[in-house]
Amino acid sequence: MKTTRTTTPISRMRTTISTNDVATGPGLDKERALRDQLTSLGSVVVAYSGGVDSAYLALIAADTLGDRALAVTADSASYPERHRQLARQIARDFQLQHEIIHTHELERPEYRANPANRCYYCKHELYTHLSRIASARGAVVVDGNNADDRGDYRPGRQAAREFGVRSPLDDVDLTKAEIRELSKRAGLPTWDEPASACLSSRIPYHSEVTDEKLRTIERAEQALRALGFRVFRVRHHDLLARLEIARDEMARALEPEINAAIVRELKAAGYRHVSLDLQGYRMGSLNEGLVLRPA
């Protein structure tokens, strides 16, 4: 499968991170262990989405390994434009060696069918490309899985094992809270970003994933962000948008003026009905009907 790439220019100056500047604080021993582990790997290709975990890993890898660290962003139909812009911004501002490749999981029938292990097919597509890049560089593919991800349902981990992908953040037992704190110290704008996931995760299992659905979801979520909401998901149930909003933001969604704006904007995005889930936002709510085993 053909892959096109764009490269972000890089200078040899990486970051201004200094272990002397952050001599005490949560996670610092683990950060030193992370640097040691990256050094032992020699050269890495970072699966870099621009989210909290992968941005921190890409930054530390670049600061530790210099040009032997390459951050690679997979641009696909399920990757939101906002994340694409954030990944580029961080790569530019922190002078990461960065490439954008184009993956085509939506062309895979098994991915479009949206089974409960859909993420396996997405990651298989991603790691197929990253492994080729890593092989040409004599590098190891690394991802941003952290210690808090161990008990979650992540079928993509099977693909990671098959391709020999390493998870340095998990290996040194870094938690999400520690990664956020260390990211803040490093000046990364992602330190307080809400948890993110691909747009396909908004579509119920066994309902086909299509580009039209993904664009509808993206338009709806862009509208909510423009209205000032921060932590939310638009779950796509054909013509019905089931809106999950963080509990501390839910009262605002019910204010008459804001409520009317939500309904107007989501209908303009393509939905006929808009509902508010009274349980609020929770990660992986579409997994609630599955009998799951941790991957």
Side-chain angles (χ1 to χ4, degrees):
M1 185 176 296
K2 185 177 179 181
T3 302
T4 59
R5 303 177 186 171
T6 60
T7 304
T8 299
I10 180 174
S11 75
R12 288 195 173 273
M13 180 61 185
R14 294 294 173 185
T15 69
T16 57
I17 297 176
S18 167
T19 53
N20 293 328
D21 293 335
V22 290
T24 61
L28 292 169
D29 288 341
K30 296 179 185 179
E31 183 174 279
R32 284 188 281 270
L34 174 63
R35 290 177 181 276
D36 290 343
Q37 182 168 118
L38 290 167
T39 299
S40 72
L41 293 176
S43 179
V44 298
V45 171
V46 182
Y48 168 62
S49 68
V52 179
D53 304 317
S54 69
Y56 171 71
L57 177 59
L59 178 64
I60 298 301
D63 192 57
T64 303
L65 298 174
D67 288 344
R68 289 174 293 145
L70 173 66
V72 179
T73 301
D75 188 358
S76 72
S78 64
Y79 188 54
E81 175 61 28
R82 179 174 179 273
H83 294 176
R84 186 181 299 110
Q85 292 176 357
L86 185 59
R88 283 175 169 155
Q89 174 195 331
I90 292 169
R92 181 179 62 250
D93 292 349
F94 289 86
Q95 299 178 319
L96 305 181
Q97 187 176 0
H98 182 218
E99 289 187 6
I100 297 176
I101 63 172
H102 296 273
T103 56
H104 305 279
E105 56 268 25
L106 208 58
E107 295 178 8
R108 293 192 170 198
E110 59 271 51
Y111 179 88
R112 291 198 310 273
N114 199 13
N117 66 337
R118 178 197 66 244
C119 289
Y120 167 79
Y121 300 105
C122 176
K123 294 300 186 183
H124 191 282
E125 170 80 4
L126 171 64
Y127 296 141
T128 295
H129 291 285
L130 295 190
S131 293
R132 289 171 183 161
I133 296 171
S135 178
R137 295 172 60 91
V140 176
V141 178
V142 296
D143 70 12
N145 253 55
N146 66 63
D148 290 336
D149 295 328
R150 293 170 189 166
D152 196 8
Y153 176 62
R154 290 176 178 259
R157 299 308 299 157
Q158 178 183 344
R161 288 192 294 270
E162 291 174 1
F163 282 88
V165 176
R166 297 287 298 272
S167 301
L169 303 178
D170 188 13
D171 290 343
V172 301
D173 206 33
L174 272 165
T175 65
K176 192 77 164 189
E178 290 168 335
I179 292 166
R180 288 188 184 278
E181 176 62 25
L182 292 167
S183 296
K184 184 178 182 180
R185 288 173 179 268
L188 280 166
T190 49
W191 75 269
D192 66 342
E193 274 287 304
S196 60
C198 77
L199 295 171
S200 297
S201 67
R202 278 64 155 171
I203 302 172
Y205 294 124
H206 308 297
S207 177
E208 184 183 12
V209 177
T210 67
D211 186 70
E212 181 182 5
K213 290 178 182 178
L214 297 175
R215 302 286 71 78
T216 299
I217 294 164
E218 184 168 25
R219 287 193 297 269
E221 293 197 347
Q222 286 173 340
L224 287 169
R225 192 168 290 108
L227 287 170
F229 292 97
R230 186 170 183 273
V231 179
F232 58 84
R233 293 285 188 273
V234 174
R235 306 297 184 186
H236 182 97
H237 300 271
D238 296 322
L239 295 177
L240 168 68
R242 177 169 60 85
L243 176 57
E244 296 178 9
I245 294 181
R247 288 186 177 275
D248 60 355
E249 298 184 82
M250 197 178 294
R252 181 169 177 266
L254 294 173
E255 294 174 4
E257 184 176 344
I258 299 298
N259 184 273
I262 291 172
V263 172
R264 181 179 65 250
E265 294 298 328
L266 267 63
K267 285 189 173 183
Y271 292 104
R272 184 174 299 171
H273 308 286
V274 180
S275 69
L276 179 63
D277 189 324
L278 296 182
Q279 294 183 78
Y281 167 72
R282 63 267 189 212
M283 189 179 299
S285 71
L286 291 177
N287 293 335
E288 291 170 355
L290 299 176
V291 177
L292 302 176
R293 294 178 301 171

